[in-house]
Every structure is written in structure tokens, then in C-alpha cells.
Amino acid sequence: MLHAYLDESGIHSGAAVCVIAGYFGGAGQWREFEVDWRKMLANFNVPMGEFHSKDIFPKAKGFFHPKNWSGDIQAFRWAIAETMAAQTKILPVSAAIIVDDFNSFSLDERRYMTGATFRLGKLVNSGCPGKPYFAPFLQILVKICEYAPVGGKAHFFFGLDRQFVGYAIEMFKQIEESDLQSPGNIGDFAWNRDWDSPATPLAKETPQLQIADVLANLTYNYMLDAGDKMGELGPSPLLAKCIQNRRSHEDFFFNHKKTMRAALDRAIQFGQILRELADLSPETSDAETDDTAQSC
């Protein structure tokens, strides 16, 4: 079973970009990481409950302000990245979205990107067209479930003491109650059989969630710094170190207007395939209709 720990940055109102990010790996690898993480924090005299990436990146503040902590902030930042990079079997994953680009699409397009699906050539289920962060969140779930071993499952963890946990549980509930499955259990949506219900430990007590917080924060700041040069401007040295073990460039994905349009074009083609399959199936009813869109 894969254990995936996820966090966010930029889901607040008015954010220009939002990021869902974290790491996944086997339980044994995570136990080894936890030992290394606690040792690293102890070396810098940092209590686990005081660790918050927003107080470390991009500027030192809170517990890490020079008035409160005598450690070397730059050395600590690199120790964080090197501790994570040393875990070669714990893999990073991130998906991000530019909010204005997302909002430039039509209601139905945003519905599809946030969970609505095709059946009989129509969109069913409402999706969440008013919540852009649901799009990268859904991408993250799909990507991690694709890495789950045959016959195994992905187990997801979110910080109970973080705002994100409520949105995550809401999204899981929406998926479980919707029709995110294609006829005959084939196609893009067969992945949703490959997870267990999410767990919600306290982030302040969970090293795995703390490093997810770091990756989300670094990615968020990279997007803000890159602006129109995103895709051309390389990641910062710290971010590059934290994602050096990624298996694929697709595991570190940015949604902007061009990539979202390409994904929607592929979805239209997929919807046509599903309709043709449904027309050939005597078990499929023509009575299924489109649900009313809701901005959840």
C-alpha cells in the first residue's frame, strides 16, 4: 500500500495560484524518513510543533525569526531539502493551477475539470466550477492511484489541524457519490477503486505532512516568482532538490490556459468514445440526463 501525504498552498480567497503537493511511498520508507526528520529537527533545536513552512520560506518569521531562534536559517532550509532528497523511494508529486486561467473557461468546462464526467455524450454530476483547487487535487489523486501496485491501494493523509482537511474530505465525498467511472470500469476513471478513506492526523505531530507543507510552499512561491515565464524559468535550487526523486515531469504539473485547453480537447474525444460504447451496450439506459451544475 502506498501512503500519500498532501498539503496545499494558495486555496485562500484571492490567491493568484493554488498548489496541491506532497509525497508518497511505502510504509517502511516513511518510517525511515520519520527517524531522519526528527533527528534533523533536533540538530537545529526545532520542536516539531513549531515547524511551519510559511515561517521558513520565503522569509524567516514566527519561531524562526532571529529574535526567537538562533539557528542558521539557510543551513536549516538546505537540511530540510537534503533530508527529503535522501529518501529515494519517497516520491514527490505536485499539481498547480493559475486561478485566472481556470476562471477564463466556460461553466461546463470548469465543471469537467473539477469532477463532472461524461455519460451518453453529456456531463453528469455538478463538479465544483467555483473552486479551482479541486482541479489539481483531482489530478493528484489520479496520479498517485496510478502508482499504486496491482492489487494494492493508495492511503491518503491530510492534516487535521490544517484548513485543507475540510476541502479534501469534501472532494473525497463528492467522488465517492458521483459517477467517476466509465462503462465497464475502463478508461480514465477506473482509478477510484484504488484508494482507502483518508486519514487525518495532526500535521504538527506528523513529519510526513510537514514535508508536504514544504513542497506546497516552495512550489507556490516558484509560481509567483515565475509569472509569465513559468515553464521557462527553472525551479529554485531548494525546490529542485526537493523534487529530484520524481519519476516523471508529469508528477510536477502546472495547469495554465494552454495545458487546460489540451486536456479538455482530449476529454471531448474521450466522451465521444464513451458515448459510442454506451450506444453499443444493451444495458445502458437513454434516460440518464445531465445534472444541474452547482458551484459547490
Side-chain angles (χ1 to χ4, degrees):
M1 177 182 288
L2 289 180
H3 287 196
Y5 295 82
L6 301 176
D7 208 339
E8 59 75 26
S9 190
I11 66 172
H12 57 279
S13 176
V17 300
C18 58
V19 176
I20 312 298
Y23 292 85
F24 64 94
Q29 283 78 38
W30 277 121
R31 284 192 293 270
E32 293 178 11
F33 160 76
E34 186 168 346
V35 172
D36 292 343
W37 183 256
R38 292 179 184 274
K39 184 183 298 183
M40 186 274 296
L41 291 183
N43 288 341
F44 283 88
N45 296 315
V46 176
M48 184 175 294
E50 297 290 348
F51 186 92
H52 304 285
S53 71
K54 63 181 179 61
D55 292 339
I56 304 168
F57 311 101
K59 295 181 180 180
K61 53 184 178 294
F63 174 84
F64 296 96
H65 191 279
K67 293 181 180 179
N68 304 320
W69 183 65
S70 60
D72 183 332
I73 190 64
Q74 191 62 12
F76 184 56
R77 289 167 177 161
W78 274 107
I80 292 169
E82 289 169 354
T83 299
M84 201 59 244
Q87 315 297 321
T88 58
K89 294 184 180 180
I90 294 176
L91 308 176
V93 63
S94 176
I97 195 165
I98 299 174
V99 174
D100 282 348
D101 284 3
F102 173 82
N103 288 332
S104 71
F105 287 88
S106 71
L107 176 64
D108 280 348
E109 289 171 331
R110 287 182 284 119
R111 286 177 60 200
Y112 177 78
M113 287 189 283
T114 57
T117 56
F118 284 108
R119 184 169 289 279
L120 297 180
K122 298 179 180 180
L123 281 175
V124 296
N125 313 309
S126 65
C128 282
K131 295 183 176 178
Y133 55 84
F134 270 32
F137 184 69
L138 188 58
Q139 289 175 318
I140 287 278
L141 298 186
V142 173
K143 177 58 65 176
I144 292 172
C145 285
E146 288 176 348
Y147 280 122
V150 176
K153 290 182 179 290
H155 194 29
F156 292 89
F157 297 80
F158 306 95
L160 183 61
D161 46 347
R162 301 291 174 87
Q163 178 187 8
F164 183 43
V165 68
Y167 299 121
I169 292 173
E170 179 183 353
M171 188 64 174
F172 268 77
K173 182 179 179 181
Q174 175 185 314
I175 294 171
E176 290 168 352
E177 292 178 350
S178 71
D179 189 20
L180 282 177
Q181 192 67 265
S182 60
N185 294 334
I186 64 172
D188 288 355
F189 303 114
W191 55 269
N192 74 339
R193 296 168 293 166
D194 297 331
W195 70 27
D196 279 333
S197 296
T200 56
L202 291 171
K204 67 180 181 180
E205 299 175 354
T206 309
Q208 296 89 334
L209 286 170
Q210 293 183 338
I211 199 66
D213 178 32
V214 169
L215 183 57
N217 187 304
L218 286 173
T219 306
Y220 176 80
N221 282 288
Y222 161 75
M223 292 186 70
L224 293 181
D225 291 341
D228 293 338
K229 294 183 179 180
M230 191 172 58
E232 303 174 20
L233 184 67
S236 69
L238 281 170
L239 178 55
K241 192 72 172 177
C242 285
I243 64 173
Q244 73 175 33
N245 295 327
R246 68 188 187 276
R247 288 188 177 179
S248 165
H249 289 294
E250 294 180 358
D251 295 350
F252 193 66
F253 189 77
F254 299 103
N255 291 282
H256 49 76
K257 192 171 292 186
K258 184 177 179 180
T259 58
M260 284 186 275
R261 172 53 59 196
L264 284 168
D265 290 344
R266 290 194 299 271
I268 291 171
Q269 296 173 2
F270 180 61
Q272 292 171 342
I273 293 171
L274 291 185
R275 185 169 186 173
E276 292 172 1
L277 288 172
D279 288 343
L280 294 173
S281 173
E283 299 178 0
T284 303
S285 169
D286 291 334
E288 294 176 273
T289 58
D290 194 6
D291 292 345
T292 302
Q294 301 174 4
S295 182
C296 66

